[in-house]
């Protein structure tokens, strides 16, 4: 493993190794971290600001004992403004550090960076329709831990799915497992794009497109809720209520099911849901730390 | 002590313990810092930028051996822009670190954060009329060191006092000591608010409201000067000269008195004053490091 | 050595000592860094953002084992906006750390800071016509390593030279060596300023002003290309092609010559040139790390 660019690159054996390492990282964090990667430097190169994602990676690096170079808004604060190419920036920054976490504003940014870099590139989101593979891996890790397995699960994605980077990335991962069933719940105009459905057809994964979650709330194991912009629905005369998770919705869910969300949330999950044991989104966030620690450690170890 | 939200929470015994620890921290810094808190991570979450306050906390964390996650302008650079609630942000960020230093743009922000966080919250200023308790503690520490005690002192606050976060916080602390006398020197329109005076009445602390410092310059132990915006006075036809500390003013002060200022200063203290031994404001700033180290250490120790 | 303000302050013996230390730093980096400066804190105080220069200094500090306080846009994010003087800012920040790396927007900013600071100030660029001495030192180190010596070399500076901070700083350094010959290649309107030429006259260094590099391409040892803003030339009806390094230009260069560039580049060096062994600009960037490590170590050692 040289770079982390997209979900597709992960095989089931590598995913299993990653999850085992993440379990170990959880124990390490409980003991106050390690010093094993003390000499390592990670660069956070965020062309679009995201304090949460950036802090998650940087905390992971710190818990491993390493150090962090950081820019929270490279587009404003760098030579991008004088027209430097991403490739030049990466060649230069890769001489200062041992790994680069890149959030780029264009789809394909991470792939371009990986082609030129002599240190590992980690895609922390590229473009609005691109990928966010480390989010997908922490999502999958959460599902595995909360549900005990991934094979055989029924997962519902709800929200504006057309440009959902996390939904796209997680679907690629789910398609590697057995007997998974996926429901895409969205207004027609905001449904998941056809390239994802073609991928599922190829893999023989069952799925269904729905406009409402009502019929499947009681039978899915995982509800993966995503952000819905109020304006987007309002402009299309779509009732937001249909896509909102509140206390009434959660009462219809299976006792052993979970609700996930990549966060930040807006109005699509009511705060009254937070205290229910099925609300897994804050546990999901916490898992991000362990999964990112494991990914960084695997990259450093395989680039030794 | 779980969180640091407002000055009122500090009792005299805790203040004394804090000051002793700050003295120890001064020695530790002179020796080049410690590694005692090496595994700890502090997050600087500043919704309003303040390089000086942020650096002061982060230097404190580094001198303790710890690590720092930082955002200098969270309002622009975070999911605040998509409408995430402060409470959600805190729940997420608290999974990455061991303490959060929060400067929020709304009064009460720190209290809301403390109610939800499972790591210590330190209020680094909330709203323009809110509190800034760590500034008040370093101010009090400076007074104690420079004057040898706090009981029995006469303190004059000069400037625009109506929205003075630091003046408010420090007054709460002074009111816990014996025989303190306070002068509030400001144009009527910018005087200290009545809630503070009511608090002093309750506590039986003597105070006086003045429009000019002339009558008390020669008898106070501490002049605490605050920023005066030239425009604010000009628009009200108030003469700035009355509230300015220059070489003529300082010559009338007692030999053993001091001038303090939370900094940054604008025109209200002339630069010619800097070399006088009574100019304590840069020593005050330096004390901030020791007091913040002591506060962080106390929080980490009591949350073990 | 107390501060690094301008190129002129460096004597040849100090330059040689610096280069030897930089060689040692290269070995230290290859071994994963050192912990020798673990207790030290460096502040990056950038009033103008520059991710590359900032990361270079911060990586240097990390490889030395130290810690970093950082602001990437102090002008927006600090009390500069309320009118604090640079001198006050420096007095305050110098109480938090062991060295300050300053990029200021005004020529002379670093000198003013050095006059007041009790920790070392490192000028990381001041004003558009000021200096950038650490860039000049890493440039000189690169020339020394690539060409085997500095005495006797012929160096051509190409581009918009009138406000070229790096060209100015490097020329001062080159003038300290023997038998150096310098060509300044630029349109008349953008030529190097007369103060630099007067300095070379005083030092007895040979130089020539040219509008085109055609006549000297085949005989120089170093081409130091600088950024050319397309608009600047276009408005003056100057043909950009004359100042562009492409594959045809490089074929006319000596086998043992090199092309340098402070980066970021715009259109003035074609990307097809990158794979030629004479393209030294990415090696130049990498050298920045070793030279800055050496400078920081020398400052810390001489301020012990």
């Amino acid at each position: 493993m040289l770079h982390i660019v997209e979900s597709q690159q992960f095989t089931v054996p590598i995913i299993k190794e990653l999850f085992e390492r993440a379990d170990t990282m959880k124990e390490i964090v409980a003991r106050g971290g390690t010093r094993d990667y003390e000499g390592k430097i990670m660069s956070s190169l965020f062309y679009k600001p995201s304090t949460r994602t950036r802090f998650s990676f940087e905390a992971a690096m710190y818990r491993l004992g390493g150090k962090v170079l950081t820019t929270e808004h490279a587009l404003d604060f760098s030579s991008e403004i004088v027209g430097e190419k991403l490739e030049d920036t990466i060649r230069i920054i890769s001489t200062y550090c041992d790994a680069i976490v890149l959030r780029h504003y264009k789809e394909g940014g991470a792939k371009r960076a990986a082609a030129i870099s002599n240190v590992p590139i980690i895609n922390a989101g590229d473009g609005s329709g691109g990928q966010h593979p480390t989010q997908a891996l922490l999502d999958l890790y959460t599902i595995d831990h909360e549900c005990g397995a991934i094979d055989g699960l029924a997962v519902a994605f709800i929200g504006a799915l057309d440009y959902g980077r996390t939904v796209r990335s997680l679907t690629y991962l789910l398609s590697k497992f057995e007997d998974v069933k996926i429901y895409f719940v969205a207004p027609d105009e905001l449904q998941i794009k056809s390239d994802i459905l073609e991928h599922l057809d190829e893999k023989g994964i069952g799925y269904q497109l729905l406009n409402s979650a009502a019929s499947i709330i009681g039978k899915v194991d995982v509800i993966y809720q995503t952000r819905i912009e109020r304006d987007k629905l309002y402009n299309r005369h779509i009732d937001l209520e249909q896509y909102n998770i509140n206390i009434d919705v959660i009462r219809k869910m299976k006792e052993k099911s979970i609700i996930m969300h990549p966060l930040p949330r807006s109005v699509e999950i009511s705060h009254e849901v937070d205290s229910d044991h099925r609300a897994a989104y804050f546990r999901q966030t916490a898992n991000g730390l362990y999964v990112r620690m494991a990914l960084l450690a695997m990259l450093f170890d395989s680039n030794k």
Side-chain angles (χ1 to χ4, degrees), chain A:
Chain A
M1 192 161 58
L2 289 175
H3 304 284
I4 298 172
V5 173
E6 54 183 20
S7 288
Q8 296 92 307
Q9 77 184 77
F10 290 88
T11 61
V12 172
I14 288 183
I15 290 169
K16 289 196 169 155
E17 188 196 334
L18 174 72
F19 287 3
E20 272 167 36
R21 291 195 75 147
D23 290 344
T24 310
M25 292 303 172
K26 192 170 182 175
E27 289 163 28
I28 286 172
V29 169
R31 290 197 308 265
T34 175
R35 269 196 186 171
D36 286 356
Y37 299 88
E38 195 180 6
K40 298 292 182 190
I41 300 175
M42 180 191 95
S43 291
S44 294
L45 191 61
F46 277 61
Y47 286 92
K48 289 263 191 184
S50 168
T51 303
R52 281 166 307 99
T53 302
R54 187 169 61 82
F55 274 25
S56 175
F57 273 107
E58 296 182 357
M61 192 61 189
Y62 285 149
R63 296 293 188 207
L64 289 172
K67 281 156 179 171
V68 172
L69 297 170
T70 191
T71 180
E72 48 184 336
H73 204 346
L75 194 58
D76 271 17
F77 290 171
S78 82
S79 42
E80 278 282 320
I81 46 180
V82 298
E84 186 175 57
K85 278 197 166 182
L86 175 64
E87 280 79 1
D88 274 15
T89 306
I90 294 296
R91 283 189 77 158
I92 295 167
I93 299 215
S94 69
T95 65
Y96 305 148
C97 61
D98 305 292
I100 297 174
V101 175
L102 176 70
R103 170 160 293 191
H104 202 250
Y105 50 97
K106 274 195 198 150
E107 223 177 297
K111 198 172 261 177
R112 284 168 54 200
I116 200 98
S117 177
N118 51 20
V119 301
I121 298 290
I122 302 173
N123 184 0
D126 60 335
S128 52
Q131 287 231 2
H132 194 356
T134 66
Q135 175 74 42
L137 289 164
L138 77 88
D139 290 343
L140 194 70
Y141 178 79
T142 301
I143 294 172
D144 191 35
H145 269 243
E146 299 273 337
C147 304
I150 297 157
D151 294 335
L153 293 183
V155 178
F157 290 105
I158 305 180
L161 306 180
D162 50 348
Y163 282 96
R165 206 161 46 185
T166 55
V167 173
R168 295 174 59 83
S169 287
L170 180 52
T171 303
Y172 276 116
L173 288 184
L174 288 171
S175 75
K176 294 171 186 286
F177 291 81
E178 306 291 321
D179 286 327
V180 171
K181 171 83 195 231
I182 304 179
Y183 301 94
F184 296 103
V185 183
D188 289 342
E189 302 91 323
L190 308 175
Q191 259 296 6
I192 191 84
K193 289 190 177 169
S194 59
D195 63 326
I196 294 291
L197 301 181
E198 283 160 24
H199 174 79
L200 292 177
D201 285 335
E202 257 171 52
K203 290 283 202 164
I205 300 288
Y207 63 85
Q208 214 176 320
L209 304 185
L210 298 167
N211 291 141
S212 159
S215 64
I216 49 102
I217 284 287
K219 58 182 181 182
V220 294
D221 303 289
V222 177
I223 287 181
Y224 193 103
Q225 181 77 344
T226 64
R227 202 160 66 244
I228 302 174
E229 286 153 58
R230 216 192 279 256
D231 292 353
K232 242 183 181 172
L233 298 188
Y234 188 80
N235 294 342
R236 290 178 167 87
H237 310 286
I238 297 166
D239 184 11
L240 180 65
E241 285 303 302
Q242 274 189 279
Y243 303 99
N244 182 41
I245 303 289
N246 56 31
I247 205 77
D248 294 328
V249 172
I250 211 170
R251 281 197 189 114
K252 294 176 193 144
M253 289 177 67
K254 292 201 292 190
E255 188 58 29
K256 287 211 145 190
S257 63
I258 56 168
I259 302 171
M260 297 173 70
H261 193 296
L263 303 178
R265 68 173 147 183
S266 175
V267 294
E268 65 278 359
I269 299 183
S270 305
H271 287 266
E272 60 190 13
V273 170
D274 294 1
S275 55
D276 193 279
H277 69 278
R278 284 162 288 205
Y281 29 90
F282 290 115
R283 297 193 294 273
Q284 180 185 356
T285 285
N287 287 335
L289 181 67
Y290 315 129
V291 170
R292 287 178 174 132
M293 286 175 75
L295 283 168
L296 284 165
M298 284 169 79
L299 285 172
F300 291 138
D301 293 352
S302 65
N303 286 277
K304 254 179 196 166

